[in-house]
Every structure is written in structure tokens, then in C-alpha cells.
Amino acid sequence: MPTNLDLPISDTARPGGLLLIDKPQGFTSSDVVAIARRALHTKCIGHSGTLDPMATGLLILLIERQATRLQNQFLKLPKTYRATLQLGSATDTWDADGSVVQTLPVPPLTLAQIQQAAQQLTGRVRQQIPSFSAKKINGRKMYDLAREGQPVADRFNEVEIFSWTDWQFNAPAEISFTLHCACGTYVRSLAFMLAQALGTSGHLTALRRLNIGPFSVENAFDGAKLKTAPRAEIVKLLQAPIL
């Protein structure tokens, strides 16, 4: 029996609602919004939380006022990510898009040691906000300030980390995991902190968002096809904005 989340919005009405997108690598969240605006012939589109250009996975677009007015509710939903951490080198962005700024040896590790370190980064965690992030300072995004070489004091926030699961350790230096967390979490920050806790440094080489609240990337439309898909086809994918 279909749920409210499965009910499409008629393409005879003004198209609005939720559009689940599987964001391709190399696109910013703003890129996807801009493409969707052109595809649907509307300016009224927001999203439910930024994904970094390197990251792939679920991005929920909020189409027209009936959805955008609920943006804060969608932003607060918990999220699930699959990530890969490379130990031994840190970049200025804490992911593979950055330049290496530190190299440290990787001590001999066991999966049990890695899981124990992650357990110390579970619950309420104070994390540093990456300097290359969309967080705004006096109306300007931190990554713009970082690219201009402007000094910015470290900023931190507290987040809730629910669990680290589905571990895979490719010794000596590659760790993959699934992270279940509250909104506001920077997975690259947590991964960098995990590397530090293990006595070395590190950066993310892969990041994919699997879930936002009850919504799954398995039900998302391939973002690489958004430019060329017929408008009528996209409209049929819209879902009622009900949590």
C-alpha cells in the first residue's frame, strides 16, 4: 500500500514537492539546484543539506513554496553516510579534493583499536568546522575566505554521533565505515579526528550519503540525467512534502 512519501504530485498542477536526487561526484549542491531550476522552469528550489563536490548520494530538492517552507524540518533530519578514510596524509580540505599538507607514519593497527577509537567519538562530539566549508562568517562562505588566503579562526560545533557501523579495514591504512549522525555533522572532520585518535593523520577519499531521515538514495533519480530528462518525466518523480 503506498505511503504519503510515495504519492506523486499530478503534472497537471503546478509542480512542487520533493525531488530525490543521487548527486554525482564533482557537482556542488548549488549546481544541482541550478540545473533543476532550468529543468523545471522555476526559481523556487532549495535543498535539505549541502553535499561537498567530492561526495555523492542523496540530495533532497524542495520544489516550490509547499516544500521550501519546510526546509528547516528537512535540514534537521538525521543522516547516514558511507565513507572511506585514508590514513597517513591530511589535506587542507580533509578530503581528496584538497592538497596534502601533512604526512605522518601509520602505526600498526587492528580493527578492534579502530573501533575503540571511534567509540570515543560517539555521542555528543565537539568537531572542528572545516575551513573549506559552506559555513558562513559575516555573510561569506568559509571556503571563499580560505581560497583567498584570509586567516579564519578555528570554529567548532557540537554534534550527535549515533553509531559507526559496517567496518572494513584494508591494512595498513584504509578504513571504510558507515556513520549514523545528526544534522550538522561534517564527516570529513570526524574522519580526521579518528585518524588523530589513531596516532596519525588522514583524509576522506570517498563519501556517499545513503539516507536523510526516512528517505533513501535507493529511491533517488540519477543527478547526471537531470539536464537531459524531459520536464514531464521529472515532474512525475515529485513526492508530497510529508515527513
Side-chain angles (χ1 to χ4, degrees), residues 167-178:
W167 292 96
Q168 183 178 347
F169 179 36
N170 296 322
E174 185 181 83
I175 305 168
S176 295
F177 56 87
T178 299

Side-chain angles (χ1 to χ4, degrees), residues 122-136:
T122 305
R124 296 296 298 177
V125 175
R126 185 175 184 262
Q127 63 166 12
Q128 184 178 341
I129 298 173
S131 57
F132 285 84
S133 71
K135 181 75 173 178
K136 289 186 177 181

